[in-house]
Amino acid sequence: MTKILDWQVKSFSQLTTNELYDLLKLRIDVFVVEQECYYPDLDEIDREPKTLHIFNYQEGKITSYCRVLAPGVVYKEESAIGRVIVSQQFRGQNLGYELMQQAITQTDRLWPENTCHISAQEHLAKFYNSLGFEQISDMYLEDGIPHIAMRRAAYK
């Protein structure tokens, strides 16, 4: 039986206190603790008026999360998808794919004439290729983890 997922898409001001706590806890649990990546997660981009937070809950726990950024927030002419994350407890259920489909739907809807940029962990290149992203840089270290820049063509 396929689960119907209730995806939430909210601006910072629409997030409840509990949702904000849960998504920040997930980001810290995975990026800082699990991946041992010490970086300033609170970068003010979460509060940008056009930033969208996309997430889902199952069994009372946040399963996955990403944020979608408007052109001009990080990249002058490109939208961006970042902080893509699936809770360790919920991996292996295609949630990353579904999460990215939700994010791509938003970028295509809001900024159809702009390409979309991601800074992807290098080992996930094939996953992002399957979603239409193409590698546009050599490997670089971001917070000590190998990354590559990737771009997806504009919707229109």
Side-chain angles (χ1 to χ4, degrees), residues 55-107:
F55 56 96
N56 183 356
Y57 282 91
Q58 285 184 46
E59 303 166 19
K61 295 182 181 177
I62 192 167
T63 63
S64 51
Y65 165 85
C66 73
R67 64 184 185 185
V68 174
L69 313 176
V73 173
V74 175
Y75 304 102
K76 186 176 181 181
E77 301 292 329
E78 296 182 298
S79 63
I81 300 170
R83 300 292 199 268
V84 178
I85 189 168
V86 174
S87 171
Q88 191 172 39
Q89 176 183 351
F90 293 94
R91 291 182 193 152
Q93 300 177 26
N94 286 327
L95 284 174
Y97 182 79
E98 293 183 46
L99 173 65
M100 284 299 297
Q101 287 292 353
Q102 293 293 320
I104 289 167
T105 296
Q106 294 301 320
T107 62

Side-chain angles (χ1 to χ4, degrees), residues 125-142:
K126 285 175 104 174
F127 167 72
Y128 289 114
N129 281 145
S130 76
L131 293 161
F133 288 88
E134 298 293 329
Q135 183 172 341
I136 58 169
S137 78
D138 291 331
M139 186 281 289
Y140 57 91
L141 290 178
E142 185 173 305

Side-chain angles (χ1 to χ4, degrees), residues 5-52:
L5 300 178
D6 181 24
W7 291 100
Q8 303 293 312
V9 180
K10 296 185 176 187
S11 68
F12 185 82
S13 64
Q14 293 172 320
L15 293 170
T16 68
T17 306
N18 283 327
E19 289 167 341
L20 178 61
Y21 181 92
D22 291 345
L23 72 88
L24 291 173
K25 183 176 184 328
L26 177 62
R27 284 170 23 179
I28 290 168
D29 286 349
V30 175
F31 295 134
V32 177
V33 177
E34 180 184 330
Q35 296 182 354
E36 298 179 0
C37 182
Y38 307 106
Y39 70 103
D41 185 40
L42 301 179
D43 58 8
E44 297 298 327
I45 294 173
D46 290 326
R47 294 198 272 201
E48 284 286 329
K50 292 182 181 177
T51 294
L52 294 177

